[in-house]
């Protein structure tokens, strides 16, 4: 298994270009199943998760070609040959569940193995199923012969419905939007997720001929239409990758210009870095993040659904807070188990006390390199940041998590002066 070796790196300097958003491109690719016509998605990041999603589209009968040079994926789902998602792909990537809405809308049936939990939480899909049921689908969760659970939804013609989401689930909002665009009548999703990735998906669906209004607010209205046509779309930049590079500048007291990013998508991260004394300038070329002072202040973080502080930035920001002066409190309100990185950071001599979903981070840690494990995607990114600041060398294992969600992170950090490499 390959590992990432990171050595203490001086102040990172230079410019880095952010890739397309992982959490936007996955639902966009699922949306191409809603039409038999050709679709082209541009600015696609080169990620393991994107490859899995391409295989998933092919498993439904779509023809898919991914031109990595041009960062373009061409999809043509002329005929859907099955409404069942293959177990091995869903187990590889739980985001496969967003194919359920399009397949149900297109074929009247969808059968998906239960994606199951992951390191950061149970990841239930009850809100997705509540919405399909509200739209007239017969939904049942079953155990099949090999005892692996799956969920099946059947409905000849989905009907518009009023759906209240008990919490603003990103995946449920995406799945239900895609089921509703071909339903008969009007669907209203209340307490919808407001993330930029939802807006990107709604913009794409409307380009395909759908009628989606209100994306980006907590109330989304969808007028069903008969058919959707093919359309082209460029993926929005990855706000979490951008935030991760902002933290790389902060933790190494560097000076980085981050291009191809939308500052509006990372407002909470900008605000919190400024509270710590990091200089963040919105320039014509991009966002410039620099540290001009030796002592950085502590600040408290509480993760919330968008537009609150993003849970996907919590591990990276906590790592940075171990190095500033003074204690901080970090609260994780979105996932029930997203503190797996604390155990690994403690191996690097961080002082953190976690109680439930709240952690107290002592500042002023002199991090030391150690052998650590990436427990999930963002925890892996956090350990890379820790390694940049830690004395000596840090060896990170289970790096497939990182490769799922960051396009060429080692190369990008090396270009900024980081001492990092992947070893087989
Ligand atoms: C998306 O996951 C992202 N993944 C996650 O990013 C992100 O952390 C999350 O949204 C929150 O912003 C993708 O977009 C592929 P949720 P998703 O449904 O849709 C509970 C990363 O690192 N819930 O908004 O699965 C759930 O348990 C990943 O890039 C239900 O209870 O997140 C969680 O506590 C990690 N019932 C909370 O809602 C449901 O039916 C938020 O989950 C669905 C969710």
């Amino acid at each position: 298994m390959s590992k990432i070796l990171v050595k203490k790196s001086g102040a990172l300097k230079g410019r880095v270009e952010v890739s397309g958003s992982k959490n936007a491109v996955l639902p966009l690719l699922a949306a191409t199943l809603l039409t038999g016509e050709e679709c082209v998605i541009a600015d696609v990041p080169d990620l393991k998760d994107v490859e899995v999603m391409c295989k998933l589209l092919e498993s439904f009968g779509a023809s898919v070609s991914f031109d990595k040079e041009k960062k373009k994926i061409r999809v043509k789902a002329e005929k859907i040959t099955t409404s069942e998602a293959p177990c091995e792909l869903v187990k590889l990537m739980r985001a496969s569940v967003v194919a359920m809405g399009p397949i149900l809308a297109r074929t009247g049936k969808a059968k998906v193995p239960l994606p199951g939990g992951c390191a950061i939480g149970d990841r239930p899909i009850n809100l997705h199923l509540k919405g399909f049921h509200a739209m007239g689908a017969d939904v049942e969760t079953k155990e099949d012969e090999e005892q692996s659970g799956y969920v099946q939804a059947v409905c000849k013609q989905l009907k518009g419905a009023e759906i209240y989401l008990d919490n603003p689930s990103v995946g449920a909002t995406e799945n239900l939007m895609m089921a509703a665009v071909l339903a008969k009548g009007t669907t209203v999703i209340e307490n919808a997720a407001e993330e930029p990735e939802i807006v990107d998906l709604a913009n794409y669906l409307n380009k395909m001929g759908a009628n989606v209004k209100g994306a980006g607010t907590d109330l989304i209205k969808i007028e069903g239409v008969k058919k959707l046509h093919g359309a082209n779309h460029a993926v929005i930049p990855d706000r979490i990758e951008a935030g991760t590079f902002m933290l790389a500048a902060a933790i190494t007291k560097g000076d980085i210009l981050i291009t191809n990013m939308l500052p509006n998508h990372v407002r909470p991260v900008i605000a919190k870095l400024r509270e710590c004394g990091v200089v963040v300038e919105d320039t014509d070329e991009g966002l410039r993040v620099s540290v001009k002072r030796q002592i950085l202040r502590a600040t408290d973080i509480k993760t919330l659904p968008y537009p609150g502080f993003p849970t996907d930035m919590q591990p990276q920001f906590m790592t940075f807070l171990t190095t500033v002066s003074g204690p901080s409190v970090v609260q994780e309100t979105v996932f029930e188990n997203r503190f797996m990185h604390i155990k690994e950071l403690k191996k690097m001599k961080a002082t953190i006390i976690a109680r439930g979903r709240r952690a107290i981070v002592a500042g002023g840690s002199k991090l030391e390199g150690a052998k650590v494990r990436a427990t999930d995607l963002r925890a892996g990114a956090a350990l890379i940041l820790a390694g940049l600041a830690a004395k000596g060398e840090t060896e990170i294992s289970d790096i497939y998590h990182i490769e799922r969600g960051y396009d060429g992170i080692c190369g990008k950090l090396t270009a900024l002066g980081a001492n990092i490499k992947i070893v087989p």
Side-chain angles (χ1 to χ4, degrees), residues 22-24 26-27 49 94-95 120-129 167-172 174 193 195 197 239-240 305-306 311-312 333-336 338 357 376-378:
K22 167 181 86 82
N23 292 348
L26 296 176
D49 272 7
R94 53 178 325 286
I120 63 178
D122 280 348
R123 315 294 294 271
I125 59 168
N126 60 308
L127 298 176
H128 302 235
L129 304 180
N167 67 46
S169 157
V170 171
E174 291 165 346
E195 272 73 0
E197 294 76 30
R239 62 192 167 97
I240 306 302
Y306 197 91
T311 173
D312 291 348
T333 73
V334 177
F335 288 106
E336 65 269 28
R338 199 170 201 167
R357 293 189 180 198
D376 60 271
L377 168 57
R378 307 302 174 185

Short mmCIF file of all heavy atoms in Angstrom, two decimals, residues 22-24 26-27 49 94-95 120-129 167-172 174 193 195 197 239-240 305-306 311-312 333-336 338 357 376-378, ligand 1:
data_model
loop_
_atom_site.label_atom_id
_atom_site.label_comp_id
_atom_site.label_asym_id
_atom_site.label_seq_id
_atom_site.Cartn_x
_atom_site.Cartn_y
_atom_site.Cartn_z
N LYS A 22 -15.43 17.90 -6.26
CA LYS A 22 -15.84 16.48 -6.14
C LYS A 22 -17.32 16.41 -5.81
O LYS A 22 -18.06 15.64 -6.41
CB LYS A 22 -15.04 15.79 -5.04
CG LYS A 22 -15.59 14.43 -4.63
CD LYS A 22 -14.81 13.77 -3.53
CE LYS A 22 -15.25 14.17 -2.15
NZ LYS A 22 -16.43 13.47 -1.64
N ASN A 23 -17.76 17.20 -4.85
CA ASN A 23 -19.14 17.08 -4.38
C ASN A 23 -20.16 17.72 -5.30
O ASN A 23 -21.36 17.58 -5.08
CB ASN A 23 -19.25 17.61 -2.95
CG ASN A 23 -18.50 16.72 -1.97
OD1 ASN A 23 -18.09 15.61 -2.32
ND2 ASN A 23 -18.28 17.21 -0.77
N ALA A 24 -19.67 18.40 -6.35
CA ALA A 24 -20.58 18.89 -7.40
C ALA A 24 -20.59 17.92 -8.57
O ALA A 24 -21.66 17.58 -9.10
CB ALA A 24 -20.15 20.28 -7.88
N LEU A 26 -20.12 14.71 -8.81
CA LEU A 26 -20.78 13.40 -8.65
C LEU A 26 -22.29 13.49 -8.93
O LEU A 26 -22.81 12.72 -9.76
CB LEU A 26 -20.48 12.83 -7.26
CG LEU A 26 -19.00 12.52 -7.01
CD1 LEU A 26 -18.77 12.03 -5.58
CD2 LEU A 26 -18.45 11.50 -8.01
N PRO A 27 -23.03 14.43 -8.32
CA PRO A 27 -24.46 14.54 -8.70
C PRO A 27 -24.66 14.99 -10.14
O PRO A 27 -25.61 14.56 -10.80
CB PRO A 27 -25.03 15.55 -7.70
CG PRO A 27 -23.88 16.19 -7.03
CD PRO A 27 -22.72 15.28 -7.16
N ASP A 49 -13.13 8.83 -7.01
CA ASP A 49 -14.59 8.83 -6.92
C ASP A 49 -15.23 9.11 -8.28
O ASP A 49 -16.31 8.58 -8.58
CB ASP A 49 -15.06 9.88 -5.89
CG ASP A 49 -15.11 9.31 -4.48
OD1 ASP A 49 -14.66 8.16 -4.30
OD2 ASP A 49 -15.60 10.00 -3.58
N ARG A 94 -20.23 5.63 -1.36
CA ARG A 94 -21.59 5.74 -0.89
C ARG A 94 -22.36 6.84 -1.63
O ARG A 94 -23.57 6.84 -1.68
CB ARG A 94 -21.63 5.96 0.60
CG ARG A 94 -20.78 7.12 1.07
CD ARG A 94 -20.91 7.30 2.55
NE ARG A 94 -22.24 6.98 2.96
CZ ARG A 94 -23.30 7.73 2.75
NH1 ARG A 94 -23.15 8.85 2.09
NH2 ARG A 94 -24.49 7.37 3.15
N ALA A 95 -21.67 7.77 -2.26
CA ALA A 95 -22.37 8.84 -3.02
C ALA A 95 -23.09 8.27 -4.23
O ALA A 95 -23.89 8.95 -4.87
CB ALA A 95 -21.36 9.90 -3.45
N ILE A 120 -17.05 8.44 9.45
CA ILE A 120 -17.53 9.65 10.13
C ILE A 120 -18.96 9.53 10.62
O ILE A 120 -19.46 10.42 11.31
CB ILE A 120 -17.38 10.91 9.22
CG1 ILE A 120 -18.23 10.79 7.96
CG2 ILE A 120 -15.92 11.13 8.88
CD1 ILE A 120 -18.13 12.03 7.07
N GLY A 121 -19.64 8.43 10.25
CA GLY A 121 -21.00 8.32 10.78
C GLY A 121 -21.81 7.26 10.08
O GLY A 121 -21.37 6.65 9.11
N ASP A 122 -23.03 7.04 10.58
CA ASP A 122 -23.91 6.01 10.02
C ASP A 122 -24.33 6.30 8.59
O ASP A 122 -24.58 5.41 7.80
CB ASP A 122 -25.20 5.92 10.87
CG ASP A 122 -24.95 5.12 12.14
OD1 ASP A 122 -23.88 4.49 12.18
OD2 ASP A 122 -25.76 5.14 13.07
N ARG A 123 -24.48 7.56 8.28
CA ARG A 123 -24.87 7.99 6.93
C ARG A 123 -26.18 7.35 6.46
O ARG A 123 -26.25 6.68 5.43
CB ARG A 123 -23.74 7.70 5.93
CG ARG A 123 -22.34 8.08 6.39
CD ARG A 123 -22.12 9.58 6.55
NE ARG A 123 -22.17 10.32 5.33
CZ ARG A 123 -21.13 10.55 4.54
NH1 ARG A 123 -19.98 10.03 4.83
NH2 ARG A 123 -21.26 11.27 3.45
N PRO A 124 -27.25 7.45 7.23
CA PRO A 124 -28.53 6.86 6.81
C PRO A 124 -29.07 7.56 5.56
O PRO A 124 -28.61 8.66 5.22
CB PRO A 124 -29.45 7.11 8.00
CG PRO A 124 -28.89 8.30 8.66
CD PRO A 124 -27.40 8.21 8.49
N ILE A 125 -30.04 6.92 4.87
CA ILE A 125 -30.65 7.57 3.71
C ILE A 125 -32.17 7.67 3.88
O ILE A 125 -32.92 7.74 2.91
CB ILE A 125 -30.29 6.83 2.39
CG1 ILE A 125 -30.75 5.37 2.45
CG2 ILE A 125 -28.81 6.94 2.08
CD1 ILE A 125 -30.67 4.68 1.08
N ASN A 126 -32.61 7.68 5.14
CA ASN A 126 -34.05 7.73 5.41
C ASN A 126 -34.75 8.92 4.78
O ASN A 126 -35.89 8.83 4.31
CB ASN A 126 -34.30 7.69 6.92
CG ASN A 126 -33.65 8.87 7.62
OD1 ASN A 126 -32.45 9.12 7.44
ND2 ASN A 126 -34.43 9.63 8.36
N LEU A 127 -34.06 10.07 4.69
CA LEU A 127 -34.71 11.27 4.12
C LEU A 127 -34.86 11.14 2.61
O LEU A 127 -35.85 11.60 2.02
CB LEU A 127 -33.93 12.53 4.49
CG LEU A 127 -33.86 12.81 6.00
CD1 LEU A 127 -32.99 14.03 6.28
CD2 LEU A 127 -35.26 13.00 6.59
N HIS A 128 -33.87 10.47 1.97
CA HIS A 128 -34.01 10.21 0.53
C HIS A 128 -35.28 9.38 0.31
O HIS A 128 -36.10 9.67 -0.55
CB HIS A 128 -32.82 9.38 0.02
CG HIS A 128 -31.47 9.98 0.22
ND1 HIS A 128 -30.56 10.18 -0.80
CD2 HIS A 128 -30.83 10.40 1.35
CE1 HIS A 128 -29.44 10.70 -0.31
NE2 HIS A 128 -29.58 10.85 0.98
N LEU A 129 -35.44 8.31 1.12
CA LEU A 129 -36.54 7.36 0.93
C LEU A 129 -37.88 8.00 1.28
O LEU A 129 -38.90 7.76 0.61
CB LEU A 129 -36.28 6.09 1.76
CG LEU A 129 -34.93 5.40 1.48
CD1 LEU A 129 -34.78 4.16 2.35
CD2 LEU A 129 -34.79 5.05 0.00
N ASN A 167 -33.57 17.14 8.39
CA ASN A 167 -32.39 18.01 8.44
C ASN A 167 -31.94 18.25 7.00
O ASN A 167 -32.27 17.49 6.10
CB ASN A 167 -31.27 17.43 9.33
CG ASN A 167 -30.68 16.18 8.76
OD1 ASN A 167 -30.38 16.12 7.58
ND2 ASN A 167 -30.54 15.16 9.57
N PRO A 168 -31.28 19.37 6.75
CA PRO A 168 -30.98 19.79 5.37
C PRO A 168 -29.91 18.91 4.72
O PRO A 168 -28.78 19.35 4.50
CB PRO A 168 -30.52 21.24 5.53
CG PRO A 168 -29.94 21.31 6.89
CD PRO A 168 -30.71 20.33 7.73
N SER A 169 -30.30 17.68 4.40
CA SER A 169 -29.36 16.71 3.83
C SER A 169 -29.00 17.09 2.39
O SER A 169 -29.86 17.27 1.53
CB SER A 169 -30.00 15.32 3.83
OG SER A 169 -29.41 14.49 2.85
N VAL A 170 -27.69 17.17 2.12
CA VAL A 170 -27.21 17.51 0.77
C VAL A 170 -27.62 16.41 -0.21
O VAL A 170 -28.26 16.67 -1.23
CB VAL A 170 -25.67 17.67 0.78
CG1 VAL A 170 -25.12 17.81 -0.63
CG2 VAL A 170 -25.28 18.88 1.62
N GLY A 171 -27.32 15.17 0.13
CA GLY A 171 -27.61 14.06 -0.79
C GLY A 171 -29.08 13.89 -1.02
O GLY A 171 -29.54 13.67 -2.16
N ALA A 172 -29.89 14.04 0.04
CA ALA A 172 -31.34 13.87 -0.12
C ALA A 172 -31.89 14.99 -1.01
O ALA A 172 -32.72 14.74 -1.90
CB ALA A 172 -32.03 13.89 1.25
N GLU A 174 -30.35 16.58 -3.37
CA GLU A 174 -29.92 16.30 -4.76
C GLU A 174 -30.74 15.17 -5.36
O GLU A 174 -31.27 15.28 -6.48
CB GLU A 174 -28.43 15.93 -4.77
CG GLU A 174 -27.52 17.12 -4.45
CD GLU A 174 -26.10 16.72 -4.10
OE1 GLU A 174 -25.84 15.51 -3.84
OE2 GLU A 174 -25.24 17.62 -4.07
N ALA A 193 -31.10 21.56 1.56
CA ALA A 193 -29.70 21.97 1.74
C ALA A 193 -29.44 23.16 0.81
O ALA A 193 -30.06 23.27 -0.26
CB ALA A 193 -28.76 20.83 1.39
N GLU A 195 -26.16 24.23 -0.05
CA GLU A 195 -24.76 24.20 -0.51
C GLU A 195 -24.62 24.65 -1.96
O GLU A 195 -25.52 24.43 -2.79
CB GLU A 195 -24.21 22.78 -0.35
CG GLU A 195 -23.60 22.46 1.02
CD GLU A 195 -24.64 22.30 2.14
OE1 GLU A 195 -25.85 22.43 1.87
OE2 GLU A 195 -24.23 22.05 3.28
N GLU A 197 -23.08 23.24 -4.25
CA GLU A 197 -23.18 22.08 -5.13
C GLU A 197 -24.64 21.82 -5.52
O GLU A 197 -24.92 21.30 -6.59
CB GLU A 197 -22.60 20.84 -4.43
CG GLU A 197 -21.08 20.91 -4.17
CD GLU A 197 -20.71 21.82 -3.01
OE1 GLU A 197 -21.50 21.95 -2.06
OE2 GLU A 197 -19.63 22.43 -3.09
N ARG A 239 -14.65 23.99 -3.30
CA ARG A 239 -14.47 24.94 -2.20
C ARG A 239 -13.70 24.32 -1.04
O ARG A 239 -13.06 25.03 -0.25
CB ARG A 239 -15.82 25.49 -1.73
CG ARG A 239 -16.77 24.45 -1.18
CD ARG A 239 -18.18 25.01 -1.00
NE ARG A 239 -19.13 23.93 -0.78
CZ ARG A 239 -19.56 23.55 0.43
NH1 ARG A 239 -19.19 24.20 1.50
NH2 ARG A 239 -20.40 22.54 0.55
N ILE A 240 -13.77 22.98 -0.91
CA ILE A 240 -13.07 22.34 0.21
C ILE A 240 -11.60 22.19 -0.13
O ILE A 240 -10.72 22.35 0.73
CB ILE A 240 -13.72 20.98 0.56
CG1 ILE A 240 -15.21 21.16 0.82
CG2 ILE A 240 -13.02 20.35 1.77
CD1 ILE A 240 -15.58 22.13 1.94
N PRO A 305 -24.68 23.24 8.64
CA PRO A 305 -25.01 23.18 7.20
C PRO A 305 -24.72 24.53 6.56
O PRO A 305 -24.70 25.56 7.25
CB PRO A 305 -26.51 22.87 7.19
CG PRO A 305 -26.77 22.23 8.52
CD PRO A 305 -25.82 22.86 9.48
N TYR A 306 -24.45 24.55 5.26
CA TYR A 306 -24.21 25.80 4.53
C TYR A 306 -25.35 26.77 4.77
O TYR A 306 -26.52 26.36 4.80
CB TYR A 306 -24.11 25.48 3.03
CG TYR A 306 -23.47 26.59 2.21
CD1 TYR A 306 -22.11 26.60 1.99
CD2 TYR A 306 -24.23 27.62 1.70
CE1 TYR A 306 -21.51 27.61 1.25
CE2 TYR A 306 -23.65 28.64 0.96
CZ TYR A 306 -22.28 28.63 0.74
OH TYR A 306 -21.70 29.63 0.02
N THR A 311 -18.47 21.33 7.63
CA THR A 311 -17.94 20.17 8.34
C THR A 311 -16.72 19.59 7.62
O THR A 311 -15.80 19.08 8.26
CB THR A 311 -19.03 19.08 8.51
OG1 THR A 311 -18.44 17.91 9.07
CG2 THR A 311 -19.68 18.71 7.19
N ASP A 312 -16.68 19.72 6.29
CA ASP A 312 -15.57 19.14 5.52
C ASP A 312 -14.27 19.90 5.72
O ASP A 312 -13.23 19.48 5.24
CB ASP A 312 -15.91 19.11 4.02
CG ASP A 312 -17.01 18.12 3.73
OD1 ASP A 312 -17.33 17.32 4.63
OD2 ASP A 312 -17.56 18.15 2.62
N THR A 333 -21.36 19.54 14.53
CA THR A 333 -22.80 19.31 14.70
C THR A 333 -23.39 18.51 13.53
O THR A 333 -24.55 18.11 13.59
CB THR A 333 -23.57 20.66 14.75
OG1 THR A 333 -23.60 21.21 13.42
CG2 THR A 333 -22.93 21.64 15.70
N VAL A 334 -22.65 18.27 12.45
CA VAL A 334 -23.24 17.62 11.27
C VAL A 334 -23.10 16.11 11.31
O VAL A 334 -24.07 15.37 11.10
CB VAL A 334 -22.61 18.20 9.97
CG1 VAL A 334 -23.17 17.48 8.75
CG2 VAL A 334 -22.85 19.70 9.89
N PHE A 335 -21.90 15.59 11.61
CA PHE A 335 -21.71 14.14 11.68
C PHE A 335 -21.43 13.73 13.11
O PHE A 335 -20.81 14.48 13.87
CB PHE A 335 -20.55 13.71 10.77
CG PHE A 335 -20.89 13.79 9.31
CD1 PHE A 335 -20.37 14.78 8.51
CD2 PHE A 335 -21.76 12.86 8.74
CE1 PHE A 335 -20.71 14.87 7.17
CE2 PHE A 335 -22.11 12.94 7.40
CZ PHE A 335 -21.57 13.94 6.62
N GLU A 336 -21.83 12.48 13.43
CA GLU A 336 -21.74 12.04 14.84
C GLU A 336 -20.36 11.52 15.22
O GLU A 336 -20.06 11.33 16.38
CB GLU A 336 -22.81 10.99 15.15
CG GLU A 336 -22.69 9.65 14.42
CD GLU A 336 -23.46 9.62 13.10
OE1 GLU A 336 -23.62 10.70 12.49
OE2 GLU A 336 -23.85 8.53 12.69
N ARG A 338 -16.98 12.56 13.68
CA ARG A 338 -15.99 13.16 12.78
C ARG A 338 -14.80 13.72 13.56
O ARG A 338 -14.25 14.76 13.24
CB ARG A 338 -16.63 14.24 11.90
CG ARG A 338 -15.76 14.52 10.69
CD ARG A 338 -16.38 15.37 9.64
NE ARG A 338 -15.67 15.14 8.38
CZ ARG A 338 -16.10 15.54 7.20
NH1 ARG A 338 -17.25 16.20 7.09
NH2 ARG A 338 -15.42 15.27 6.11
N ARG A 357 -19.35 15.58 20.78
CA ARG A 357 -19.12 16.32 19.53
C ARG A 357 -18.38 17.63 19.76
O ARG A 357 -18.36 18.51 18.92
CB ARG A 357 -20.48 16.61 18.87
CG ARG A 357 -21.19 15.35 18.39
CD ARG A 357 -22.38 15.74 17.57
NE ARG A 357 -23.13 14.60 17.05
CZ ARG A 357 -23.98 14.72 16.04
NH1 ARG A 357 -24.15 15.89 15.46
NH2 ARG A 357 -24.64 13.67 15.61
N ASP A 376 -10.35 9.04 7.04
CA ASP A 376 -11.32 9.42 6.02
C ASP A 376 -10.69 10.54 5.19
O ASP A 376 -9.59 11.01 5.52
CB ASP A 376 -12.67 9.87 6.65
CG ASP A 376 -12.49 11.06 7.58
OD1 ASP A 376 -12.22 10.85 8.77
OD2 ASP A 376 -12.58 12.21 7.09
N LEU A 377 -11.38 10.96 4.21
CA LEU A 377 -10.82 11.91 3.23
C LEU A 377 -10.27 13.18 3.86
O LEU A 377 -9.11 13.55 3.69
CB LEU A 377 -11.94 12.24 2.23
CG LEU A 377 -11.77 13.39 1.28
CD1 LEU A 377 -10.53 13.23 0.44
CD2 LEU A 377 -13.00 13.51 0.39
N ARG A 378 -11.07 13.84 4.66
CA ARG A 378 -10.66 15.16 5.18
C ARG A 378 -9.69 14.99 6.35
O ARG A 378 -8.82 15.83 6.56
CB ARG A 378 -11.87 16.00 5.58
CG ARG A 378 -12.90 16.13 4.48
CD ARG A 378 -12.35 16.74 3.19
NE ARG A 378 -13.37 16.69 2.13
CZ ARG A 378 -13.15 17.06 0.89
NH1 ARG A 378 -11.96 17.47 0.54
NH2 ARG A 378 -14.10 16.97 -0.02
C1 LIG B 1 -22.40 15.43 1.44
O1 LIG B 1 -22.60 14.17 2.06
C2 LIG B 1 -20.93 15.48 1.08
N1 LIG B 1 -20.62 14.39 0.15
C3 LIG B 1 -20.08 15.35 2.35
O2 LIG B 1 -18.72 15.49 1.97
C4 LIG B 1 -20.45 16.49 3.29
O3 LIG B 1 -19.71 16.36 4.49
C5 LIG B 1 -21.95 16.44 3.59
O4 LIG B 1 -22.68 16.50 2.34
C6 LIG B 1 -22.41 17.60 4.47
O5 LIG B 1 -22.06 18.81 3.87
C7 LIG B 1 -20.95 14.53 -1.15
O6 LIG B 1 -21.52 15.53 -1.56
C8 LIG B 1 -20.57 13.40 -2.06
P1 LIG B 1 -25.84 14.86 4.29
P2 LIG B 1 -24.12 13.66 2.37
O7 LIG B 1 -26.87 13.98 3.69
O8 LIG B 1 -25.03 14.11 1.31
C9 LIG B 1 -27.77 12.95 8.14
C10 LIG B 1 -16.46 14.91 1.87
O9 LIG B 1 -15.56 14.83 2.71
N2 LIG B 1 -28.71 12.31 7.20
O10 LIG B 1 -25.97 16.34 4.17
O11 LIG B 1 -24.05 12.21 2.69
C11 LIG B 1 -26.37 12.36 8.01
O12 LIG B 1 -26.25 11.21 8.81
C12 LIG B 1 -17.84 14.37 2.20
O13 LIG B 1 -16.34 15.41 0.71
C13 LIG B 1 -29.82 11.63 7.71
O14 LIG B 1 -30.02 11.56 8.92
O15 LIG B 1 -24.40 14.46 3.72
C14 LIG B 1 -25.50 13.48 8.51
O16 LIG B 1 -25.44 13.43 9.92
C15 LIG B 1 -17.92 13.82 3.61
N3 LIG B 1 -30.68 11.04 6.84
C16 LIG B 1 -26.25 14.75 8.08
O17 LIG B 1 -27.59 14.34 7.78
C17 LIG B 1 -30.52 11.10 5.49
O18 LIG B 1 -31.35 10.56 4.74
C18 LIG B 1 -25.69 15.40 6.85
O19 LIG B 1 -25.67 14.44 5.83
C19 LIG B 1 -29.39 11.79 4.99
C20 LIG B 1 -28.51 12.39 5.86
#
